[in-house]
């Protein structure tokens, strides 16, 4: 394979070679791909023993339902909330998400896929800054969700609430850290916040949406 990869790069140096062989990367591959799983996970059974590379960019590929190509029988589509949550988790791990769409034989996309893409697009219109140009945030994955932050740095990071933690969300921060603002990203509404020692307590609205609820936190 290294000889074959070298030949591909000699023909076109800009060609990116990913792996989908479910084993450790081979010399000459440009990024590491995980099938239907986030890096380090093995829920789909394809990544057993596959360690996450610290030298290559990462990508996960996922289906909207259960099949890669179009299947008239497979109507068990994931929800927009599930796919948005997967996207947020991927970004929090500095991982690209390759979301598969299976077209019909005539090239048309299934209505269910188009509907999901529209919902994801609507969510991105108001929450896109927490995804585009972002990577891992300062808070490791929790039961309630993940955090992301701009790769360019700065004092703002984003909290992605994927599961309702209750009335108050508790997150760890540096003891000497001072908070400038905590707002709902989609409309800029200020959220009630209290800092006690090394923890930040954020009061959440009672009517959290089913999909990812994003909070923007800016430190002084």
């Amino acid at each position: 394979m290294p000889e074959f990869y070298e030949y591909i790069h000699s023909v076109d140096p800009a060609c990116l070679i990913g792996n989908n062989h479910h084993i450790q990367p081979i010399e000459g591959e440009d990024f590491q791909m995980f099938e239907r799983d986030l890096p380090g996970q093995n829920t789909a059974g394809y990544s057993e023993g596959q360690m996450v590379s610290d030298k290559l960019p990462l990508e996960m590929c996922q289906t909207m339902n259960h099949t890669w190509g179009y299947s008239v029988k497979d109507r068990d589509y994931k929800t927009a909330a599930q796919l948005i949550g997967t996207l947020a988790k991927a970004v929090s791990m500095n991982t690209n998400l390759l979301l598969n769409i299976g077209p019909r034989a005539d090239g048309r996309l299934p209505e269910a896929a188009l509907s999901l893409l529209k919902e994801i697009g609507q969510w991105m219109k108001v929450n896109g800054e927490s995804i585009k140009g972002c990577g891992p945030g300062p808070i490791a994955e929790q039961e309630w969700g993940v955090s992301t932050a701009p790769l360019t740095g700065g004092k703002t990071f984003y909290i992605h609430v994927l599961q309702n933690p209750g009335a108050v969300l508790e997150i760890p921060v540096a003891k000497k850290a001072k908070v400038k603002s905590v707002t709902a990203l989609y409309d800029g509404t200020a959220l009630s916040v209290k800092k006690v020692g090394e923890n930040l307590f954020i009061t959440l609205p009672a009517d959290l949406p089913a999909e990812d609820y994003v909070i923007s936190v800016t430190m002084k």
Side-chain angles (χ1 to χ4, degrees):
M1 293 308 294
E3 183 179 358
F4 182 49
Y5 292 158
E6 184 178 353
Y7 170 72
I8 293 174
H9 285 141
S10 71
V11 173
D12 186 356
C15 182
L16 295 178
I17 301 173
N19 61 52
N20 195 25
H21 43 51
H22 310 139
I23 60 176
Q24 288 303 104
I26 298 172
E27 181 183 352
E29 293 173 344
D30 298 299
F31 64 94
Q32 186 178 16
M33 182 187 297
F34 294 83
E35 184 171 355
R36 297 189 183 184
D37 263 314
L38 289 161
Q41 298 182 3
N42 188 36
T43 61
Y46 297 122
S47 301
E48 184 175 357
Q50 187 179 8
M51 304 298 292
V52 180
S53 171
D54 58 356
K55 298 179 180 179
L56 297 177
L58 307 176
E59 178 175 272
M60 75 164 294
C61 53
Q62 183 58 281
T63 58
M64 283 189 163
N65 45 17
H66 297 283
T67 51
W68 289 108
Y70 176 70
S71 171
V72 68
K73 296 180 180 180
D74 188 358
R75 299 180 181 179
D76 186 19
Y77 281 80
K78 299 173 180 66
T79 65
Q82 288 175 313
L83 295 174
I84 290 170
T86 298
L87 174 61
K89 288 181 179 180
V91 173
S92 76
M93 302 178 74
N94 209 24
T95 300
N96 185 59
L97 171 62
L98 172 65
L99 185 59
N100 178 75
I101 305 171
R104 298 185 177 99
D106 61 5
R108 290 183 299 131
L109 297 181
E111 290 300 323
L114 290 172
S115 178
L116 285 171
L117 288 174
K118 185 175 181 179
E119 288 186 68
I120 295 171
Q122 290 173 337
W123 182 89
M124 284 290 292
K125 281 184 178 179
V126 293
N127 296 288
E129 71 178 71
S130 69
I131 298 294
K132 296 178 181 179
C134 288
I139 303 169
E141 182 174 355
Q142 307 289 323
E143 289 186 5
W144 48 260
V146 297
S147 69
T148 61
L151 292 170
T152 54
K155 297 182 179 180
T156 298
F157 65 91
Y158 306 96
I159 298 171
H160 296 259
V161 183
L162 305 177
Q163 293 187 26
N164 194 332
V168 178
L169 176 65
E170 179 182 353
I171 63 171
V173 293
K175 189 173 184 179
K176 295 183 179 180
K178 295 183 179 181
V179 180
K180 181 178 181 180
S181 65
V182 178
T183 61
L185 185 57
Y186 79 99
D187 66 356
T189 300
L191 301 178
S192 177
V193 60
K194 183 177 182 181
K195 186 174 182 294
V196 180
E198 297 181 355
N199 294 292
L200 201 63
F201 297 86
I202 303 172
T203 301
L204 300 174
D207 53 344
L208 282 180
E211 63 272 9
D212 186 356
Y213 179 74
V214 186
I215 300 171
S216 174
V217 180
T218 301
M219 310 303 289
K220 292 183 178 178

